[in-house]
Each structure stands twice: as C-alpha cells, then as structure tokens.
Amino acid sequence: MNDHSLIIIGGGPAGMAAALAAKKAGIEDLLILERDSHLGGILNQCIHNGFGLHTFKEELTGPEYAERYANMVKQEQIPYELDTMVLSVEKLKDSNKKAVTVISSKRGVQTLYAEAVILAMGCRERPRGALNIPGYRPQGVYTAGTAQKLINLEGAKIGKEVVILGSGDIGLIMARRMTLEGAHVAAVAELMPYSSGLKRNIVQCLDDYNIPLLLSHTVVDIKGKEKLEGVYIAKVDEKKQPIEETKEYYPCDTLLLSCGLIPENELSLDGGVEIDPRTNGAYVDESLETSVEGVFSCGNVLHVHDLVDFVSEESARAGESAARYILSGKRSQGKTIEVKTGYGVRYTVPCRINVENAGELTHIRFRVSGVYKNVSIVIKSGDKELLRKKSMILVPSEMVDLLLKKSMLKESGEEMTVFIEEA
Ligand SMILES: Cc1cc2nc3c(=O)[nH]c(=O)nc-3n(C[C@H](O)[C@H](O)[C@H](O)COP(=O)(O)OP(=O)(O)OC[C@H]3O[C@@H](n4cnc5c(N)ncnc54)[C@H](O)[C@@H]3O)c2cc1C
C-alpha cells in the first residue's frame, strides 16, 4: 500500500518516539522508513552508558536505550521498513498530500503518499574536507563517529598514538574509548576557550585518564601523504587565528575529528522546508511543524541535542502534533508570536508560537553563545517582562529548556525576545 496517514523518515530515537506518540494519539496508518539495517540510529554504536536518566530513571547504554524503544515500536505493531532510503519529500501542488520517494531492494524506486511527514533523519559529522587544515587526507584521519563505528560495531583496531581535534561529546567519548583500546591519546585540541562537550564527559573521559584538554588550540597542519605521521597544534588568539610561535609537533598515527554535527537536511531543503542558518535545522513552530504544511521535524535533524532523553521528549511532541494535524485536517490559524534572540542567545526552537495550538506549557529550547555566570534568562515582549529565571552558569554545550505558561503567551505581543542579562 502506498498511501499512509503519516510517514516518519528515520528510525533513530527521534523517529521511534514520534511514531509511538502518533500511534497513541490515534494514528493507525503510519510507517517508519529507515535506511540502515536496524532501528536505533546512532545509538547503536554508542556502547558507553549515560543514556536514559530522564526517560527511564536508569543509566543505560545507547543500544539498550534504542532497544527499549524498538521493542515498544514492535509491541505497538508500528510498521517499519529497513534498508530503505528516502530520496525526496515533496508537497503536492494540488492537495495537502506529500509524496515520499524511496529506494530499497524490496520496492525498487517508488513514491509513497502521506497526509503528514515527520523528518527525523539525525545528523552527520563535519568531515576533514570541510575543515581548513593544510595537508593531505592520509590514512589515519577519521571523524570520531566513524572511528566509534569501526571499533564498537566492526571490532577494528585503528591506531596507537592519537590526537583528537574538537572537544564535543563524541571526541571526549572517543578519547576514553581509544585509551581503553590500548592507544595513547596525546591531546584533545579545542579551538574555543571552552569545551563544547558536557562537563561530565570532560571529567569521566579526559580527567580520569589524564588526557590533556588544550583549549584555544587547533591543528594547523597534517603531516603524511599515504599514512598520517603527525600533526602540528598551535594556540589561537582571541580571533581564533593560530599563533605561529606556539606551534608544536605531535607525532601520531590517528587524528580523530570531532568538529561539529550537521543536521541531515538535504531532503528538507529539496522539499522546500525553510532552514534556520543558526541551527541548520528547520524553522519550526511550537508544534514542530516546518514552513511546509503537514511536515514536522524533530531530534538531531532539527537541532543538535546533547541528551537523547530530550530527543525522545521533543519527538513525542512532533508525533502528537502530526496526529492532531491529520485528525483535524488543517493547520490552526490565529495569533502567532515570533520568537527572537537577543544578547547571549544563539538560537531558539521554536522560532514561532501559534497561541491557539500551544498547550498549557510551551517548551522554548536554546543554546547560549558563550559561558555566562550568575545571569538571568529573560523573555520580554516590548516592555513587558514575561519571564525571568536566574542561572548560576550557562554554557554552549548544555541546551536550556524553558517552559512558558499559556497565560504568558496571551500577554505577549506579536514578538518576544529571549536574552541573557548580566548582573
Ligand atoms: C558519539 C555520541 C555519543 C553520544 N552520547 C550520548 C550520551 O552519553 N547520552 C545521551 O543522552 N545522548 C548521547 N548522544 C546523543 C544521542 O545519541 C542523539 O541525540 C540521538 O541519537 C539523536 O537521535 P535522532 O533520532 O535524531 O538521530 P539518529 O540517532 O542519528 O537517527 C537518525 C536516523 O535517520 C536515518 N536516516 C537519515 N536519513 C535517512 C533517509 N534519507 N532515509 C531513511 N533513513 C534515514 C539514519 O539512518 C538514522 O538511523 C550521543 C551521540 C553521539 C553521536
């Protein structure tokens, strides 16, 4: 059958949570499409623990967390197709239906139709070619996630003397993983003056193993043509320009790159979804509906999350919203509020709130653009202060989650601004 109420693209934690919530909200005819051979997404390769503390009040490994959701999907008899790559999503001109073209060995190339689509494609890592580092791309240079997959899923041994560029969570986790594999991690170099990873990962993955974290440092040259021989690391100034005199050579056979994640939005862009350049995810409203009616987005494809628990919670909201859209047959009209960013706030999700659609509590999630201590988070509409919350410390690696009461939304004008106020 090629016609469905709801199609969910991606069978990672986001796609599974969205599907479960949509089913619970009354959608029977739904389908998850996943290009990989398993449900679970990136979690399948994250064999460390630290997942699920919020959702299950337990510390699980990535595969355990994924398995719990996959079991629920199976119990609810939600259909899913593996080894199925979605090639395009397009809203039909003459109706509200969306055409979803897929390729798989079972179907060949085929177009399916749905009233609503949830985009849950996750993200990929920034590769060597996207980094401005002189030198070749010799054997021994990997993105941290690729190295994680090779070691954890394929049992490969990839190197003995390691340098890691970027202190995002994947880089930190891999510093520990490589050490446990018997390698020596000489340093983790980070361009920014702060780490972009969670504090707990710095302590548990670097400090506990005496691995140095070089803040305000970067790799300026990669040596070796066929095989990696070493890298030069230099300190950077406040404009992030390398300081030549500080250049130091690190002989190594492995360089792991953990330099950011890019939401996989090629499908979304081709389908006419407007993308927010600050997140590289879709512009969404409070229902996580994108600029294309009936197309919703959640999880890492919407914005990069630090905790999978937040992915599951957010994606369940996308599932409920898609169900509401399908059952009501249209987008709701009425008062909308544009959510703007002010001092210290890099982006917000959502960017727009439809007051009629909003529940009693509306989540506003955001990341700050630097480290702020003893500050207040403020939301204002014109001169009216809608919310003020004190915070001892805000760091870019930790997403902030605010809850706005419906009464606050009613008090707001057509715009509200979220900003940081220093004492
Ligand atoms: C190394 C690493 C360590 C982490 N550590 C932790 C931790 O300790 N604790 C924690 O809570 N969180 C952690 N996270 C974060 C957490 O894993 C992610 O936030 C979460 O997996 C994101 O879920 P997602 O479903 O949005 O994306 P993904 O898990 O990436 O799933 C997206 C799915 O979509 C599929 N897909 C993409 N494009 C298509 C297409 N065109 N057609 C069909 N299918 C498609 C992909 O194959 C994939 O299965 C970690 C992440 C990484 C990478």
Side-chain angles (χ1 to χ4, degrees):
M1 222 181 59
N2 288 352
D3 233 324
H4 299 275
S5 300
L6 174 63
I7 287 181
I8 295 141
I9 308 174
M16 292 194 285
L20 284 162
K23 171 103 193 215
K24 196 168 169 207
I27 303 302
E28 290 296 328
D29 179 19
L30 70 175
L31 175 64
I32 302 175
L33 299 170
E34 168 57 53
R35 68 182 170 192
D36 213 337
S37 322
H38 306 274
L39 291 174
I42 196 79
L43 292 186
N44 289 322
Q45 67 183 62
C46 301
I47 63 170
H48 57 281
N49 60 1
F51 297 83
L53 280 169
H54 295 259
T55 314
F56 297 111
K57 312 283 175 258
E58 276 180 73
E59 214 178 341
L60 304 172
T61 63
E64 284 170 337
Y65 188 97
E67 191 184 23
R68 291 210 181 174
Y69 270 89
N71 286 343
M72 289 191 265
V73 166
K74 287 169 197 164
Q75 267 161 20
E76 290 299 324
Q77 299 183 341
I78 295 173
Y80 57 90
E81 289 184 21
L82 302 175
D83 301 308
T84 304
M85 174 88 178
V86 175
L87 301 176
S88 68
V89 182
E90 196 188 351
K91 183 178 170 299
L92 299 182
K93 288 201 175 68
D94 48 358
S95 83
N96 263 342
K97 286 217 165 144
K98 285 91 201 163
V100 178
T101 302
V102 302
I103 185 166
S104 71
S105 51
K106 180 179 144 197
R107 290 182 180 268
V109 177
Q110 223 175 63
T111 299
L112 316 180
Y113 297 91
E115 286 168 57
V117 168
I118 298 181
L119 307 169
M121 293 90 72
C123 47
R124 63 169 177 273
E125 295 172 285
R126 185 159 286 125
R128 192 259 181 270
L131 304 169
N132 278 336
I133 308 173
Y136 292 94
R137 194 247 172 262
Q139 183 194 328
V141 180
Y142 305 87
T143 61
T146 301
Q148 185 181 48
K149 188 172 181 190
L150 288 170
I151 295 171
N152 292 350
L153 295 185
E154 292 172 28
K157 202 158 180 68
I158 65 164
K160 289 192 180 134
E161 187 64 25
V162 186
V163 167
I164 299 179
L165 176 60
S167 65
D169 288 312
I170 316 179
L172 300 176
I173 298 282
M174 283 313 291
R176 177 175 64 185
R177 190 78 189 97
M178 294 299 290
T179 310
L180 295 176
E181 283 291 303
H184 173 248
V185 181
V188 176
E190 167 59 57
L191 182 71
M192 304 301 284
Y194 50 80
S195 166
S196 50
L198 294 174
K199 180 81 186 150
R200 72 171 192 213
N201 283 337
I202 297 172
V203 174
Q204 293 171 5
C205 301
L206 300 189
D207 298 353
D208 285 359
Y209 297 88
N210 293 321
I211 299 170
L213 172 60
L214 309 176
L215 296 175
S216 299
H217 280 72
T218 191
V219 170
V220 289
D221 203 357
I222 295 175
K223 289 291 168 201
K225 192 169 178 188
E226 299 299 324
K227 282 190 177 182
L228 180 66
E229 290 162 14
V231 298
Y232 279 97
I233 294 181
K235 201 170 170 12
V236 297
D237 61 21
E238 58 287 348
K239 290 189 181 135
K240 302 192 190 78
Q241 293 306 309
I243 305 166
E244 183 65 22
E245 315 81 84
T246 64
K247 230 166 93 172
E248 220 180 299
Y249 187 62
Y250 285 74
C252 58
D253 59 12
T254 307
L255 172 65
L256 300 188
L257 305 170
S258 177
C259 302
L261 297 167
I262 307 168
E264 294 233 29
N265 271 308
E266 287 72 15
L267 284 181
S268 327
L269 267 168
D270 287 350
V273 170
E274 269 179 55
I275 300 294
D276 182 342
R278 297 166 302 177
T279 53
N280 290 318
Y283 278 109
V284 289
D285 63 13
E286 77 306 316
S287 303
L288 305 173
E289 190 173 7
T290 68
S291 58
V292 177
E293 183 174 339
V295 176
F296 299 79
S297 178
C298 57
N300 271 6
V301 79
L302 177 58
H303 59 137
V304 175
H305 292 65
D306 28 279
L307 291 181
V308 71
D309 306 75
F310 289 157
V311 169
S312 302
E313 183 277 331
E314 175 184 280
S315 306
R317 279 191 284 126
E320 286 161 14
S321 305
R324 193 174 55 221
Y325 171 80
I326 293 163
L327 298 173
S328 73
K330 61 172 170 22
R331 229 177 199 178
S332 59
Q333 308 293 319
K335 175 180 165 183
T336 54
I337 304 166
E338 295 298 318
V339 185
K340 303 274 180 198
T341 52
Y343 177 73
V345 175
R346 197 154 64 78
Y347 71 84
T348 63
V349 171
C351 307
R352 192 175 61 251
I353 300 173
N354 185 315
V355 181
E356 196 184 303
N357 258 355
E360 276 317 302
L361 292 172
T362 297
H363 285 267
I364 295 198
R365 289 186 166 157
F366 68 88
R367 283 186 197 265
V368 288
S369 48
V371 178
Y372 299 95
K373 289 187 180 160
N374 298 318
V375 291
S376 296
I377 303 165
V378 185
I379 304 186
K380 265 183 148 184
S381 178
D383 290 338
K384 195 176 290 168
E385 190 170 295
L386 301 173
L387 183 136
R388 174 175 288 269
K389 197 178 167 198
K390 287 202 164 139
S391 182
M392 275 166 64
I393 184 151
L394 294 169
V395 289
S397 58
E398 286 180 29
M399 199 163 66
V400 185
D401 188 15
L402 295 178
L403 283 171
L404 256 67
K405 291 190 187 134
K406 193 150 188 166
S407 55
M408 293 173 180
L409 300 180
K410 286 185 178 155
E411 277 179 53
S412 174
E414 287 173 2
E415 273 186 25
M416 61 168 67
T417 306
V418 187
F419 60 97
I420 305 302
E421 196 175 88
E422 290 182 290

